[in-house]
Every structure is written in C-alpha cells, then in structure tokens.
Amino acid sequence: MARYFLGLIAVLLFISSMLSVLGFQVESPQEKAALSRMPTAPLTSCQVKVVFDGDTFGCDLNRNGRIESPQEHVRMLGIDATEMHYSRKNTSGRDEPFAKEAKQWVEANLLHRPAYLESDVKPRDKYNRVLAYVYLDPKGQTMANASLIQAGLAKVLFIGQNRRYEARFYKLEREARQAHRKLWQ
C-alpha cells in the first residue's frame, strides 16, 4: 500500500514538473497568495527627480528639493534592466538592447511624479541605495518593477533575502518570454 502511494506521489510530481516546463503553472496556496499580495505596510513616498536607467532613479526622500547622493538613489528590487552606455557594468560604449526603452518607461511613469516605495528585508544595498518595490499609486495597485518585467523591459533578478514578490515576478517573466516581448524577441 505504501509503495502505491509513493508511486502515485512520484507520478503527480512528474506531471506537475512537466506542466511547468510546458508553461503551465501549478501554484501552491502560498504562491497564489504571493502573486496577489498587495503591500501591507504604509508606503514611503518621494518625488522622482532624475532617472538613471531602467531600474535606478533619484528620489527626494528628505523633501528638500534635491537628491543627496547616494542615500536618495532608489534601486528597484527583483529586476535587472539592461545597461545604458554610461554604466560601469557596460564596457561596450553602446546602450544594451532595450536599455533606452526601459529608461524611457521609467521617465514616462515616474519622473517629476511621486513614487511610493515598499521595502523588503534589507532596506539598502552596499552602495547605500534604497532598495524598494516601487508603486505608481499610493494604494500600491500598480508596481513599476512588475510592469517592467511584464513589458519585457527587465529580467527578474533577486539577490540576497529581498524576495517578497519572487513567485509573481517569475510568473510575469515567463508570460513576457512566451509572448516574445522586447528582451524576449
């Protein structure tokens, strides 16, 4: 009898993994909750003053009308947009594919507007930049990080313990890849 159940479990795990490989997502209750999670803590608002690239911008957190570098640089969590030609990581001297489009998306949606920041476990990186999930609205209904992934303008990148929306982001990236959006063309 125990062999029967072990065999049944093995078959179910195999089917689940094959569905996942084919693009079908079998989500656990915990994954479903993470996919639909809205921010629970109050969001920190700031005025976006400058956009550096598709995943980093300067924000007036002190409300003094200027950016006090690097304490007021915000790095969007869970994403990695391609690099602009002036980035330290980009040695080619040219913008990487869709870097300009990602930066333009951030400028169009955040520049000279308020951004609403949600922190995760670790609030700052080694460069003292603020690490955040960034929302376009004060109720946290539209997340810029997720929108960039969904549009195919950024890839998922999680470093360390800041992984609150990991399942959601990977689901959005899989959808963008299957639809051949931008980076996935």
Side-chain angles (χ1 to χ4, degrees):
M1 186 75 153
R3 269 187 168 166
Y4 171 77
F5 284 115
L6 287 175
L8 182 61
I9 290 171
V11 168
L12 290 174
L13 287 173
F14 175 76
I15 291 171
S16 174
S17 67
M18 290 310 297
L19 288 173
S20 181
V21 167
L22 294 172
F24 298 98
Q25 186 63 22
V26 180
E27 295 160 354
S28 70
Q30 294 87 356
E31 288 173 320
K32 285 183 183 177
L35 291 174
S36 62
R37 184 183 306 169
M38 299 286 280
T40 54
L43 301 174
T44 302
S45 69
C46 67
Q47 187 75 15
V48 177
K49 296 291 188 181
V50 61
V51 175
F52 301 114
D53 58 28
D55 53 31
T56 312
F57 57 88
C59 212
D60 180 13
L61 285 163
N62 293 323
R63 293 175 178 28
N64 61 6
R66 62 182 187 274
I67 306 299
E68 296 175 343
S69 177
Q71 294 82 5
E72 294 185 314
H73 289 197
V74 177
R75 174 66 168 84
M76 289 191 227
L77 282 171
I79 69 169
D80 186 33
T82 51
E83 301 299 328
M84 300 294 293
H85 68 278
Y86 48 77
S87 167
R88 287 180 300 212
K89 295 183 209 171
N90 183 352
T91 58
S92 72
R94 296 186 306 262
D95 292 344
E96 292 178 351
F98 298 104
K100 186 180 286 185
E101 289 85 345
K103 180 180 179 184
Q104 289 170 341
W105 188 99
V106 176
E107 287 174 337
N109 288 282
L110 289 169
L111 188 58
H112 306 303
R113 296 182 183 166
Y116 303 90
L117 313 178
E118 176 188 16
S119 62
D120 204 339
V121 176
K122 186 177 175 191
R124 291 191 178 264
D125 66 7
K126 65 183 179 184
Y127 306 108
N128 204 22
R129 297 179 298 186
V130 174
L131 300 174
Y133 301 105
V134 180
Y135 295 90
L136 306 181
D137 59 284
K139 293 186 179 181
Q141 295 178 341
T142 306
M143 186 194 297
N145 317 45
S147 297
L148 284 159
I149 294 168
Q150 191 170 31
L153 292 170
K155 295 179 180 180
V156 174
L157 175 67
F158 283 96
I159 298 171
Q161 26 188 326
N162 292 334
R163 297 176 177 271
R164 181 172 299 145
Y165 298 105
E166 187 173 21
R168 177 181 180 189
F169 286 11
Y170 277 114
K171 183 178 192 284
L172 292 171
E173 183 178 81
R174 191 169 36 257
E175 291 169 0
R177 190 179 294 215
Q178 289 170 347
H180 304 287
R181 293 185 194 121
K182 306 287 183 187
L183 291 169
W184 309 112
Q185 291 179 355

